[in-house]
Amino acid sequence: QVQLVESGGGLVQAGGSLRLACVGSGSIFSIFSINDMGWYRQPPGKQREMVAAIFVGGATNYADSVKGRFTISRDNAKNTLFLQMNSLKPEDTAVYYCNSVGGRYQWGQGTRVTVSS
């Protein structure tokens, strides 16, 4: 069974940066090389939303709210997905998760990002 473990969250001031990582395990294949993958976030009291996606072919897509500030990337050899977050805003405060586009795998615990104003 595939397990996704997110890390890299924390408390940061507005305008700061964080780099999130998601390691996948439990599959004989690199799940990041055979799936379109995404970073999702769930702000307090709100539903989970996708903020960034990276497709098998390498193309990326971003929610308007993070476009130009966040960058998604992956290392297939290390089965790791990254999210570089710059120019953070208080509204970026959320628990961040990774999963395939469509949420095929069991959700991990996520990593909490708190941006203070």
Side-chain angles (χ1 to χ4, degrees), residues 84-115:
Q84 178 67 44
M85 305 189 297
N86 299 328
S87 302
L88 283 161
K89 303 176 181 180
E91 51 263 44
D92 295 319
T93 294
V95 179
Y96 285 73
Y97 304 86
C98 74
N99 210 316
S100 68
V101 173
R104 173 181 179 182
Y105 301 107
Q106 183 173 353
W107 295 92
Q109 294 298 308
T111 186
R112 185 175 300 276
V113 172
T114 303
V115 184

Side-chain angles (χ1 to χ4, degrees), residues 19-110:
R19 189 187 194 210
L20 308 184
C22 169
V23 178
S25 62
S27 172
I28 61 174
F29 302 106
S30 169
I31 64 169
F32 301 127
S33 66
I34 63 173
N35 286 290
D36 299 331
M37 296 298 297
W39 280 97
Y40 301 74
R41 69 184 181 188
Q42 185 167 15
K46 297 184 179 180
Q47 290 189 331
R48 186 156 45 203
E49 61 178 356
M50 179 182 284
V51 295
I54 184 166
F55 301 100
V56 171
T60 57
N61 195 30
Y62 299 91
D64 288 343
S65 58
V66 307
K67 199 171 294 183
R69 300 188 296 120
F70 289 12
T71 303
I72 187 172
S73 61
R74 66 183 182 220
D75 185 333
N76 292 339
K78 295 183 179 180
N79 233 7
T80 304
L81 190 71
F82 300 100
L83 185 69
Q84 178 67 44
M85 305 189 297
N86 299 328
S87 302
L88 283 161
K89 303 176 181 180
E91 51 263 44
D92 295 319
T93 294
V95 179
Y96 285 73
Y97 304 86
C98 74
N99 210 316
S100 68
V101 173
R104 173 181 179 182
Y105 301 107
Q106 183 173 353
W107 295 92
Q109 294 298 308

